[in-house]
Amino acid sequence: MSTESADRVATPTPDPHVVTPEPTNPGSAQGAASDGRAAAKATGAMLASRVVIAALGWTGSVIIARILSPEAWGHYTFVFALLGLMAIFTDLGVGRAVMARLIVDDPDEVARTASAFIALRLLLGLGGYAIALIYVVALGYPGEVIRATAVAGLVVVVATPGHALTVVFQSRHRLLLSAMAESLGQTVQLALTIAAALFAPYLLLFVLAPVVNEVLALVIKAVGISRRDGGLRPSRHVEFARWRPMLLDAAPLAIGFALTVALQKVDMLLLSILDTFDAVGVYGIGYKFSDILDTFVLAAAGPVATLLVAAWPHEPGVFRRRCRGAAAAFGAGGAVAVAAFWPSAPQVIGLLYGERFVVGAFAARMLVLGATFTALIVLGIYLLASAGQARSYPLVAFGGLVLNVVMNVILIPRMSYDGAAIATVATLGSVLVVLWIVIVRTLPIVGLFPLGSVMTLAAVTALACAVGTPAARIIPWPVVSVSTALVVALVALPLVRASARAPGRHAKVHGVTS
């Protein structure tokens, strides 16, 4: 039986939550959102952009880490960790109400939804900026940190509506302009970073460069969407009444994302309180590596989310196949990254950032592993949101946040940044398991998570790391890293293909798997 035939096997008794597939007009907005080839091209564009952004951003961080003093680097790391935490207040996620109304065939509805969404995101960005400033002032952080937050915090104000424009483009899988804008912005940021390093190596100038990056990217996206045909141009009139349904529909997802961001970033805030800024700087190096994986995941998750929204609920087989394929691909990407980095982490950190940061190699390894868990968590969140079932996730994320805070408070005084890393990875692993249990029990489709493939990848990756770590002390580390990554990739490729095919029936009938 072919894959397409298996996807559309009828169940003996129609499930009330699984609607019989209806044909999709390829020329419609819904058809554009369901276009797998367009999604693949959009994903490719965003991933290529993320490669450029990651390389340029990494280069900039190496320059800054080597030039600033340990304390000043700790200040820099803390400020951007705090601003990342502001996503609690600024990121609605891709709410089902927003995405669902962006893929309709009424250009006027799309325009009004887009303008309301962009305006709301701008207001949330301003709120996030204010909260970040109030936090550092109220807790009595050093004046250098307060000034850096005041300047760097403008990133939140600009990037928040910029992301809203990306969501609008994403609704039709037209992400090439966004990818180009963000790559160009990162290029300018690196140029400004190099200029500051050569002529005026001050913290405030280093934190100004990302602001210029976001402003440039926003301008390019705004000009592009204002000239874009095809029903994507936002209305000049903002209907504030649309905010209420957006907020109500997105509230569970927004709260869940906010709590997820908090449980990922609260370790940095607690480390700054329970330890020193020098420790924050060492720990921040680990996040430089894990953030690369996070960046790729978020780039790929956008088009995947659009496909899932378009497939639910009319095409449960397609929904299942795309979910399994994405989960296997995300797991494989994370496994390859862990296999490449784990054996040679001390050597890579020493080469790029200097010997004083090598002490944080264990924490960096753990954070890269945690980023693999985060990839599957993000997919699970989008999965629940696309099916309109995100209400259960905030409770899972809240439990994870509480666990993370408790573990950090216990472990940081005893193990510093290593304790923070252990707490964060243990929390992410727990949230991952609980989240997918919730998905299995909530959605009327079976086999959404390719457990066998993921467990096989985990076992192969653990073995590769166990062999590669001592080997990297004897054999040149680039050879070891390439070899371990290649071994895992060769195992992962057929597993991803097999998971995406997912033959067989796909729906639950009266509580029984069919």
Side-chain angles (χ1 to χ4, degrees), residues 24-40 42 102-105 169-174 230 232 303 306-307 310 322:
T24 301
N25 179 7
S28 66
Q30 181 80 15
S34 304
D35 189 342
R37 291 185 179 180
L102 287 174
I103 62 176
V104 299
D105 289 319
F169 283 118
Q170 175 190 319
S171 66
R172 299 294 193 279
H173 299 300
R174 298 175 182 175
L232 290 182
T306 304
L307 291 172
R322 285 172 174 166

Side-chain angles (χ1 to χ4, degrees), residues 10 22 45 95 113 136 139 146 285 353 359 372 425 492 503:
E22 294 179 359
T113 297
V136 293
L139 269 67
I146 295 174
I285 294 299
Y353 292 97
V359 292
T372 303
V425 173

Side-chain angles (χ1 to χ4, degrees), residues 179-495:
M180 294 174 62
E182 292 168 11
S183 298
L184 180 59
Q186 191 68 48
T187 303
V188 172
Q189 177 180 330
L190 178 60
L192 294 176
T193 298
I194 294 173
L198 292 174
F199 303 109
Y202 303 120
L203 176 62
L204 288 181
L205 291 180
F206 284 131
V207 301
L208 180 62
V211 178
V212 177
N213 172 356
E214 295 295 343
V215 169
L216 179 60
L218 175 63
V219 169
I220 293 174
K221 292 177 190 178
V223 171
I225 207 165
S226 67
R227 297 179 177 178
R228 175 72 63 177
D229 294 328
L232 290 182
R233 186 180 303 168
S235 170
R236 294 184 179 182
H237 175 68
V238 178
E239 295 181 354
F240 299 105
R242 290 176 177 263
W243 287 3
R244 185 173 182 274
M246 285 183 185
L247 290 170
L248 289 176
D249 186 81
L253 181 60
I255 294 170
F257 262 123
L259 292 170
T260 302
V261 171
L263 71 87
Q264 286 182 283
K265 301 296 184 182
V266 72
D267 53 351
M268 196 76 81
L269 301 190
L270 291 172
L271 193 61
S272 73
I273 295 171
L274 300 174
D275 211 319
T276 65
F277 277 106
D278 192 9
V280 171
V282 172
Y283 189 54
I285 294 299
Y287 270 117
K288 294 301 176 185
F289 293 94
S290 67
D291 284 349
I292 293 174
L293 186 55
D294 288 341
T295 299
F296 289 139
V297 167
L298 291 175
V304 170
T306 304
L307 291 172
L308 291 174
V309 170
W312 181 269
H314 300 296
E315 298 177 296
V318 174
F319 186 89
R320 176 178 183 259
R321 176 164 53 88
R322 285 172 174 166
C323 178
R324 287 178 60 89
F330 284 9
V336 171
V338 171
F341 181 69
W342 191 285
S344 55
Q347 295 90 332
V348 173
I349 293 172
L351 175 66
L352 293 175
Y353 292 97
E355 290 300 317
R356 68 186 174 98
F357 292 111
V358 172
V359 292
F362 173 77
R365 285 167 167 157
M366 293 297 288
L367 291 176
V368 171
L369 176 61
T372 303
F373 295 163
T374 301
L376 296 173
I377 291 172
V378 168
L379 177 63
I381 297 171
Y382 277 124
L383 181 63
L384 286 173
S386 63
Q389 299 291 334
R391 291 182 298 275
S392 56
Y393 177 67
L395 184 60
V396 176
F398 179 74
L401 177 59
V402 172
L403 175 63
N404 200 13
V405 170
V406 171
M407 292 186 67
N408 270 289
V409 170
I410 294 172
L411 294 177
I412 287 176
R414 293 168 174 80
M415 303 176 65
S416 188
Y417 37 78
D418 286 344
I422 292 171
T424 297
V425 173
T427 299
L428 291 172
S430 300
V431 170
L432 173 62
V433 172
V434 175
L435 172 61
W436 280 92
I437 290 175
V438 169
I439 291 171
V440 169
R441 295 177 66 87
T442 300
L443 298 188
I445 300 177
V446 298
L448 290 171
F449 189 79
L451 182 61
S453 297
V454 172
M455 295 304 295
T456 301
L457 278 172
V460 172
T461 303
L463 180 61
C465 291
V467 174
T469 300
R473 303 189 189 102
I474 304 170
I475 304 172
W477 65 264
V479 175
V480 174
S481 286
V482 171
S483 299
T484 51
L486 184 60
V487 167
V488 174
L490 290 175
V491 174
L493 186 59
L495 291 176

Side-chain angles (χ1 to χ4, degrees), residues 73-99:
W73 169 250
H75 291 164
Y76 180 92
T77 303
F78 167 78
V79 166
F80 282 101
L82 175 63
L83 296 178
L85 195 58
M86 289 306 102
I88 290 175
F89 309 102
T90 64
D91 192 359
L92 283 178
V94 185
R96 182 173 173 81
V98 176
M99 183 57 71

